[in-house]
Amino acid sequence: MKNIKLTLFSVLFSVLSFNFSNSNENTKTFNKKNVHFSKPGTHSKTQQKKSSFVIDPPKLIAQGDQFYCPQTSINIVTDFRIDHDLSETGTEAIYIQISSGYSSGLDKLELSNPAAHSTITTNWDATAGKLTLTSPTGADVLYSDFVAAIKDVVFTNSSATASGIRTFSITMGKANYLPSTQHYYEYVPSIGITWTSAKDAAAARTYYGLQGYLATILSADEAKLIGEQASGTGWIGGSDAETEGIWKWVTGPESGTVFWNGNANGSTPNYAFWNTGEPNQQGDEDYAHITQPGFGIRGSWNDLSNTGDNSGNYQPKGYVVEYGGMPGEPTLQIAASTKITIPVATPAIDPTPVCVSGSFTFNATATAGAAIRWFDATIGGNLLANGPTYTTPTINTTTTYYVDAGCESNRKSVKATVYETPAVPIAEQETYTKCGSGSLTIKATSNIGTINWYASATDQTIISQGTTFTTPTISSNTTYYAEASNNGCTNPTRTPVNIVIYTPPAVTDETLPLCQFQSIMLDAGISGMSYSWSNANETSQQITVSKGGTYTVLVTSPEGCQSTKKITVEEHKIPQIARVDVEGTRAIIYPVTAEDYFEYSVDGVNYQDSTVFYDVPGGLQTAYAREKSGCGGTTKQFVVLVFPPFFTPNNDTYNDVWEVTGMENYPQAVVTIFDRYGKLIVQLSRFKMSWDGTLNQVPLPASDYWYALKVDDSMPVLRGHFTLKR
């Protein structure tokens, strides 16, 4: 609030002579022959040599704090009068302004019946929110005519959603009057004026005896009236010239009061209204200035240097003078004010809903002094009750009521919610079946609301909500329960939904051998089922097949559970031996075609997967090859020739002769023996199978001897050596 230090004074009627050379606002004077006003911003019309009497300015007294409903018309006063000196009968103009809460483009003041006020013409300034009443001829208008006209001035707002408070100031001077501060504000155009010059110029101005100063802005009401509703941009009384970043009001009664600390990201201890990014200290910018209209936030402030720019948005265009609040100043009544309040009823939150039926109590608050009304329709309707509380009769359906504070256009809806109790849920199936463990989706519906699912008929823990419920994995028979609920209104009867788990047929995949040129029987493995063989077009438990491949059978239980068995039939050939290679005592069996399911032997008893055999006895031997699962086999004889590495012809019955074991199996075989010098010693054949170590019955000396074995013309000659020991 402004620090208003006004003292009441009584004007003493004394004889004074006045020199108006330094007066610049309304100082009223009169003498016995002539009474006149000096106009705002001018000197007196004449400098009277005769004695003059100082008189009180007129006193404006208004009544009319009222409620207003949007989109209607209302007189701004309920009563109005101007108390004035009998010597004064009129003045040039009266100014009526919407000084707070003004909504530009929607609010308007106008004379309701101008034809009844022929001595007055009006001018509405939509930017300033100000209605001016003057004479159409420029002459003074009688106070009585102004009083009559002001009683016919009306306020309108064109928006159905208008809200808040509008304050109307009625004043005789051109300066804007703000009832909340009881101060007057005047914008003085002066292109390019410096801040220091504006400060001095403002201090030189007076308004009906009130001292002027560069405006100080302490509230949003002031900022709006000065910045948005004034006619231009200009200087105000803020500066941080004393200490950079500490902004103070340095004019008027608030001189020395800090209102901002820092730059654009600073803070205020009371009120400030900087434009976006201001103050920014772009240079030596130490003085507060109302921003150019249309540039940034309307009516906001920026910081400038003492001179500002030479042109453009940051060129000073004038300054704002404030009057009022200086110590020792008189209390003026050249302005009066009224206000209208758009009443709004604010209902409390809606009462708690009920099930089936019930009575509800609504509560609401309203703008102070406004009467609360309750209706059954948003427009018109029946008045149900007056006052902050309304209790409904018992109702069984959801019902909307409406409350206002006297304005039908501002009605608010409230709702009494009645929820219906739903019917017993209906399960899509009473019993669901499932083959094997797992989850499945069950379903239940009701006529209204939602479905809660429970694990038992009495359990209170909801495990799922919604018409469908996908169960967790279950492996045994289970029952779930569906309950219908509508916003807390619950049908107590729960519907059971059964789940029966069947065990699928237990099958085991198989791999079976099929002997070449034979057939095999395939068995599904479980009796009493239904069967469907995929690649045999058969429906019996067993089928016979005669070729290899993969066979599948779908086994279906009487409950409809299915399992698929796969039988892999591997067709096995009967082995055939191509040849047997012998290397010393090692024999290698070569089958015509090698298969993993073949096994081999050289004695017909001991079988192995390998075809290689070691330490095979000399002589005629038999090679065996057979299929492991018994499909059949084959044999082939072979000879193992054993050449002794030495012999000892000493008649001890051990190694007394040298002979080739197995040679008897080759009738055409010839072994030729040589000494170390290549001399032929003896030839062995089927007629002579051994050598006793003599030549012509003469014993030969102990030494190494060489042999060459020619089996027949189809086999290579086998060569080697052995030792004769004595």
Side-chain angles (χ1 to χ4, degrees):
M1 295 293 293
K2 289 286 183 181
N3 181 19
I4 304 173
K5 296 181 179 178
L6 299 179
T7 59
L8 297 175
F9 72 97
S10 53
V11 179
L12 301 177
F13 290 88
S14 59
V15 179
L16 299 171
S17 60
F18 283 78
N19 185 331
F20 291 97
S21 62
N22 195 37
S23 172
N24 59 10
E25 276 299 344
N26 292 341
T27 300
K28 297 186 177 181
T29 64
F30 70 92
N31 59 34
K32 293 179 180 179
K33 293 184 178 180
N34 184 29
V35 178
H36 69 274
F37 290 90
S38 63
K39 305 300 187 293
T42 67
H43 304 310
S44 63
K45 293 180 179 178
T46 61
Q47 294 185 11
Q48 301 294 334
K49 294 181 180 180
K50 297 182 180 181
S51 60
S52 298
F53 294 94
V54 177
I55 64 173
D56 280 332
K59 297 180 180 179
L60 279 61
I61 302 169
Q63 296 179 359
D65 290 352
Q66 307 170 77
F67 289 116
Y68 170 74
C69 293
Q71 297 183 315
T72 64
S73 176
I74 189 172
N75 292 86
I76 65 168
V77 298
T78 56
D79 194 15
F80 180 75
R81 75 177 191 269
I82 300 175
D83 293 347
H84 57 91
D85 191 280
L86 295 178
S87 300
E88 295 292 324
T89 59
T91 190
E92 292 178 350
I94 296 288
Y95 304 90
I96 306 173
Q97 185 173 33
I98 306 173
S99 54
S100 66
Y102 177 53
S103 182
S104 180
L106 299 174
D107 291 347
K108 188 176 182 181
L109 296 174
E110 59 185 338
L111 189 59
S112 62
N113 52 346
H117 305 282
S118 59
T119 62
I120 293 177
T121 186
T122 62
N123 178 61
W124 169 245
D125 182 346
T127 300
K130 180 181 286 190
L131 181 71
T132 302
L133 282 63
T134 58
S135 167
T137 64
D140 286 353
V141 177
L142 293 175
Y143 287 135
S144 58
D145 288 348
F146 275 129
V147 169
I150 290 169
K151 289 181 178 180
D152 280 344
V153 172
V154 296
F155 167 81
T156 59
N157 179 285
S158 58
S159 172
T161 59
S163 61
I165 297 173
R166 307 290 189 273
T167 300
F168 309 113
S169 60
I170 308 167
T171 180
M172 292 181 62
K174 290 184 178 180
N176 295 332
Y177 175 69
L178 185 62
S180 63
T181 63
Q182 299 181 33
H183 289 195
Y184 302 85
Y185 306 87
E186 177 186 16
Y187 175 73
V188 181
S190 181
I191 300 295
I193 189 172
T194 66
W195 183 87
T196 53
S197 296
K199 178 176 179 291
D200 293 341
R205 299 181 72 85
T206 60
Y207 188 76
Y208 289 99
L210 302 179
Q211 175 66 49
Y213 52 90
L214 278 185
T216 59
I217 303 174
L218 305 185
S219 69
D221 277 353
E222 276 189 292
K224 183 177 177 68
L225 183 67
I226 294 172
E228 291 188 38
Q229 295 177 240
S231 58
T233 182
W235 296 113
I236 54 177
S239 172
D240 72 340
E242 179 180 322
T243 304
E244 182 62 42
I246 300 178
W247 285 86
K248 299 179 180 180
W249 298 117
V250 296
T251 59
E254 286 77 38
S255 180
T257 301
V258 176
F259 67 89
W260 186 258
N261 292 293
N263 288 328
N265 59 350
S267 61
T268 177
N270 39 67
Y271 179 79
F273 188 39
W274 295 105
N275 199 358
T276 303
E278 300 284 351
N280 55 22
Q281 188 60 18
Q282 296 295 309
D284 188 20
E285 296 186 333
D286 294 334
Y287 302 98
H289 181 266
I290 294 179
T291 305
Q292 177 79 20
F295 187 71
I297 302 172
R298 180 75 184 273
S300 62
W301 316 335
N302 60 281
D303 58 337
L304 292 179
S305 66
N306 185 51
T307 59
D309 290 352
N310 293 326
S311 62
N313 292 318
Y314 298 112
Q315 181 190 35
K317 305 297 194 301
Y319 56 97
V320 181
V321 185
E322 182 174 353
Y323 304 96
M326 295 295 284
E329 287 187 333
T331 300
L332 298 182
Q333 289 183 256
I334 60 170
S337 67
T338 61
K339 69 177 180 180
I340 59 104
T341 301
I342 301 173
V344 176
T346 304
I349 60 173
D350 291 341
T352 303
V354 301
C355 299
V356 184
S357 65
S359 178
F360 298 81
T361 297
F362 293 99
N363 294 285
T365 57
T367 305
I372 297 176
R373 307 181 302 175
W374 301 88
F375 292 87
D376 59 4
T378 184
I379 299 295
N382 298 308
L383 176 64
L384 303 176
N386 291 297
T389 301
Y390 169 56
T391 299
T392 73
T394 299
I395 57 176
N396 55 20
T397 59
T398 297
T399 305
T400 300
Y401 299 93
Y402 303 87
V403 60
D404 66 36
C407 295
E408 185 177 83
S409 61
N410 276 347
R411 283 186 188 172
K412 305 288 195 324
S413 64
V414 293
K415 183 181 287 187
T417 302
V418 179
Y419 292 124
E420 177 185 350
T421 299
V424 175
I426 299 174
E428 183 181 58
Q429 297 176 218
E430 291 185 5
T431 300
Y432 290 81
T433 60
K434 178 170 179 55
C435 295
S437 62
S439 65
L440 72 163
T441 300
I442 59 179
K443 184 176 181 180
T445 58
S446 182
N447 64 324
I448 194 172
T450 189
I451 300 296
N452 298 327
W453 294 91
Y454 297 89
S456 73
T458 58
D459 191 4
Q460 297 303 309
T461 301
I462 298 174
I463 59 176
S464 184
Q465 286 186 308
T467 56
T468 60
F469 167 40
T470 300
T471 72
T473 299
I474 54 178
S475 56
S476 60
N477 296 346
T478 305
T479 300
Y480 292 100
Y481 294 83
E483 176 187 84
S485 177
N486 180 28
N487 292 284
C489 299
T490 302
N491 191 309
T493 301
R494 295 180 180 178
T495 299
V497 179
N498 302 307
I499 300 173
V500 177
I501 302 297
Y502 293 120
T503 301
V507 297
T508 303
D509 294 345
E510 291 182 285
T511 298
L512 301 176
L514 171 64
C515 295
Q516 189 176 16
F517 311 121
Q518 297 183 22
S519 62
I520 189 173
M521 179 177 290
L522 306 183
D523 194 331
I526 305 176
S527 61
M529 307 287 170
S530 298
Y531 313 93
S532 176
W533 293 87
S534 61
N535 48 354
N537 197 26
E538 296 284 347
T539 58
S540 60
Q541 178 180 339
Q542 297 174 331
I543 63 171
T544 300
V545 299
S546 57
K547 63 179 180 178
T550 300
Y551 297 83
T552 59
V553 57
L554 180 65
V555 182
T556 305
S557 70
E559 297 80 18
C561 296
Q562 296 180 328
S563 297
T564 299
K565 178 175 181 176
K566 181 174 71 173
I567 303 176
T568 302
V569 177
E570 297 180 345
E571 188 172 357
H572 288 190
K573 299 177 181 179
I574 297 174
Q576 293 179 343
I577 298 175
R579 71 180 191 276
V580 179
D581 288 352
V582 178
E583 298 176 358
T585 60
R586 185 180 74 163
I588 304 173
I589 301 173
Y590 288 94
V592 174
T593 302
E595 301 290 349
D596 291 341
Y597 49 82
F598 289 167
E599 59 184 0
Y600 307 91
S601 176
V602 292
D603 61 6
V605 176
N606 299 299
Y607 282 85
Q608 63 183 41
D609 290 338
S610 174
T611 60
V612 181
F613 295 86
Y614 298 92
D615 299 323
V616 180
L620 181 63
Q621 304 294 335
T622 302
Y624 299 86
R626 70 180 182 184
E627 194 274 335
K628 292 180 180 180
S629 62
C631 289
T634 187
T635 61
K636 188 175 185 67
Q637 289 185 327
F638 64 96
V639 175
V640 177
L641 297 174
V642 179
F643 298 88
F646 67 91
F647 76 108
T648 58
N650 55 9
N651 297 315
D652 63 357
T653 71
Y654 294 102
N655 302 316
D656 283 336
V657 295
W658 187 88
E659 61 180 346
V660 179
T661 304
M663 180 178 169
E664 67 273 13
N665 295 290
Y666 297 101
Q668 299 178 13
V670 175
V671 177
T672 303
I673 298 175
F674 306 88
D675 66 11
R676 58 188 305 173
Y677 303 105
K679 179 181 178 180
L680 175 63
I681 302 299
V682 68
Q683 280 191 332
L684 305 180
S685 66
R686 62 189 177 108
F687 302 106
K688 180 179 174 62
M689 300 294 295
S690 64
W691 177 50
D692 61 3
T694 66
L695 176 61
N696 299 322
Q697 297 181 346
V698 177
L700 293 178
S703 182
D704 284 343
Y705 294 86
W706 299 89
Y707 66 85
L709 169 63
K710 181 178 181 181
V711 176
D712 55 32
D713 293 337
S714 66
M715 296 179 66
V717 175
L718 301 177
R719 301 179 187 275
H721 65 89
F722 62 92
T723 301
L724 186 158
K725 295 180 180 182
R726 294 223 179 249

